[in-house]
Amino acid sequence: MDESILITGGAGYIGSHTCVELLNAGFSVTVFDNYCNSKPEALNRVESITGKSLTRVQGDVRDRVALEAALRSSGASAVIHFAGLKAVGESGEQPLRYYDNNVVGTLRLLEAMQTCGVKTLVFSSSATVYGAPQFLPYSEDHPFAPTNPYGRTKLMVEDILRDAFASDDSWRFSILRYFNPVGAHASGLIGEDPQGVPNNLMPLWLQVAVGRRECLNVFGDDYDTPDGTGVRDYIHVTDLAEGHVRALQWMAQSDGGLCRAFNLGAGVGYSVLEMVRAFEAASGKPIPYRIQPRRAGDLAGFHANADSARSVLGWQVTRDLQTMCADTWRWQSNNPSGYVG
Ligand code: NAD
Ligand code: UDP
């Protein structure tokens, strides 16, 4: 396949893994990133893994002129849009920054795409658009009720895409709602490299395992879940990356426009304590933990109904929890300071 794809945010955690899968599948890749939460080194590693080169453009998605130049010079036929800010807590403290980056950034991107006649987009949405479960597993028609500004930026962009499609049905939009991405590429060369203090369970586990943190805080053991701790649907980042390739291939096969959302999750939930046991097995290190009060805004548990992705995209996860933890540990062990040092 000699098709060119523009990837906004392609140097980030999910973007870099998706670049690998796209290059392996024969696509040409141009990454458009301002590196506000990533390092260019991730892209060098992508090239090492695949033995293929990609094109880098440093720019901000709110800069329409820069986007148009990148679309033209790359000859892209489609865009995968990862560029966005993603820290839930920070989105409550800096909502205007989040709306500007995530919503305005996407508007500028859509305008640039329209000007350049590129009408195919994969958008990174999130299970957070659903909010408190009215039923589980969440299917794509579950009502929306995001509980924080970050989640609302995702829902706003989804609404923008649905409205754009309603007015012009030549657009092709795949909205991918990720559950909890974890893991790292099996090579140990790329992985999640959080800047500042992490919030998510996996990077916090790693800090405990390498002795940078005394113990893991388990937020709540009195939820209505099998062992009382929070349950999430963890998905290996390489499985997630493959979902993007499938979405592009599905859209390319379509005669006309389309706009459809897909849950990308494993369809299985694991509790925090089950994760602790899996971390211990992967790292061979005991993970001391302390039960703490519930974290404000956390949901008890949720997991995906990923039937649509399976039946329409022909996609499903193939990597289990043990692989997620082992690959994460390999990345951490090989790169104790992330991409630096
Ligand atoms: P990440 O922070 O690792 O990657 C995002 C990339 O976008 C970074 O390289 C960053 O430098 C870039 N970026 C941000 N704002 C930009 C801008 N204005 N212009 C150009 N580049 C910009 O995050 P990730 O985990 O890889 O997430 C990718 C996408 O998936 C995000 O949109 C995120 O909201 C979404 N998502 C992530 C998760 C998760 O848990 N990781 C879950 C659901 C959805
Ligand atoms: N969690 C925890 N301790 C931590 C971080 C997270 O017990 O230090 C729990 C959290 O309450 C949730 C699960 O781990 O039940 C996943 O949290 P994460 O922040 O990774 O994802 P999200 O809450 O965004 O789904």
Side-chain angles (χ1 to χ4, degrees), residues 23-322:
L23 289 167
N24 283 341
F27 290 91
S28 300
V29 169
T30 297
V31 168
F32 185 98
D33 203 305
N34 66 0
Y35 304 115
C36 70
N37 197 39
S38 58
K39 307 250 166 50
E41 171 63 12
L43 299 176
N44 301 338
R45 307 275 183 103
V46 167
E47 293 182 327
S48 300
I49 292 168
T50 59
K52 296 180 179 174
S53 57
L54 49 72
T55 305
R56 300 148 173 82
V57 178
Q58 184 164 359
D60 192 296
V61 286
R62 291 160 294 184
D63 181 347
R64 203 178 94 177
V65 174
L67 279 168
E68 286 177 15
L71 284 166
R72 291 211 171 89
S73 63
S74 63
S77 58
V79 176
I80 305 182
H81 182 35
F82 292 109
L85 302 175
K86 62 167 180 176
V88 169
E90 190 182 64
S91 77
E93 292 151 17
Q94 304 173 25
L96 303 187
R97 184 172 158 237
Y98 271 68
Y99 288 115
D100 181 44
N101 202 81
N102 294 6
V103 181
V104 174
T106 307
L107 277 175
R108 293 291 95 83
L109 173 64
L110 290 167
E111 290 161 1
M113 290 174 67
Q114 188 155 39
T115 303
C116 296
V118 179
K119 304 295 284 285
T120 302
L121 177 79
V122 180
F123 173 62
S124 299
S125 188
S126 167
T128 193
V129 296
Y130 298 125
Q134 296 189 11
F135 56 81
L136 286 174
Y138 290 128
S139 52
E140 286 85 357
D141 58 359
H142 186 283
F144 300 126
T147 55
N148 52 65
Y150 166 71
R152 284 189 278 278
T153 67
K154 292 295 175 190
L155 183 54
M156 282 179 191
V157 170
E158 286 203 13
D159 283 336
I160 289 168
L161 298 180
R162 285 185 277 269
D163 285 341
F165 179 72
S167 73
D168 171 1
D169 65 6
S170 69
W171 285 104
R172 294 173 197 205
F173 293 135
S174 286
I175 296 166
L176 303 184
R177 297 187 187 136
Y178 311 154
F179 280 66
N180 285 58
V182 294
H185 190 264
S187 63
L189 282 171
I190 57 171
E192 188 172 13
D193 183 19
Q195 315 292 305
V197 182
N199 285 306
N200 296 111
L201 188 59
M202 276 271 184
L204 286 162
W205 153 49
L206 294 174
Q207 295 198 344
V208 176
V210 299
R212 281 173 60 191
R213 211 170 261 273
E214 213 175 285
C215 75
L216 187 72
N217 291 320
V218 173
F219 294 135
D221 67 348
D222 56 354
Y223 285 111
D224 183 16
T225 60
D227 65 18
T229 64
V231 169
R232 294 291 182 274
D233 183 335
Y234 297 94
I235 172 173
H236 195 295
V237 64
T238 301
D239 281 326
L240 191 58
E242 288 171 359
H244 294 73
V245 178
R246 293 297 307 131
L248 281 178
Q249 291 167 337
W250 171 67
M251 291 194 286
Q253 284 161 12
S254 165
D255 290 335
L258 36 86
C259 178
R260 185 155 175 177
F262 298 97
N263 287 338
L264 295 188
V268 185
Y270 290 105
S271 73
V272 178
L273 294 183
E274 286 175 307
M275 297 302 284
V276 168
R277 285 190 282 278
F279 298 157
E280 290 180 330
S283 60
K285 291 176 188 289
I287 306 296
Y289 66 85
R290 197 168 32 208
I291 304 294
Q292 298 284 12
R294 294 179 179 194
R295 186 170 65 176
D298 266 359
L299 297 171
F302 57 82
H303 59 289
N305 174 335
D307 288 351
S308 297
R310 185 165 52 244
S311 60
V312 178
L313 303 181
W315 172 91
Q316 61 185 359
V317 300
T318 61
R319 293 163 182 86
D320 60 11
L321 181 59
Q322 197 189 356

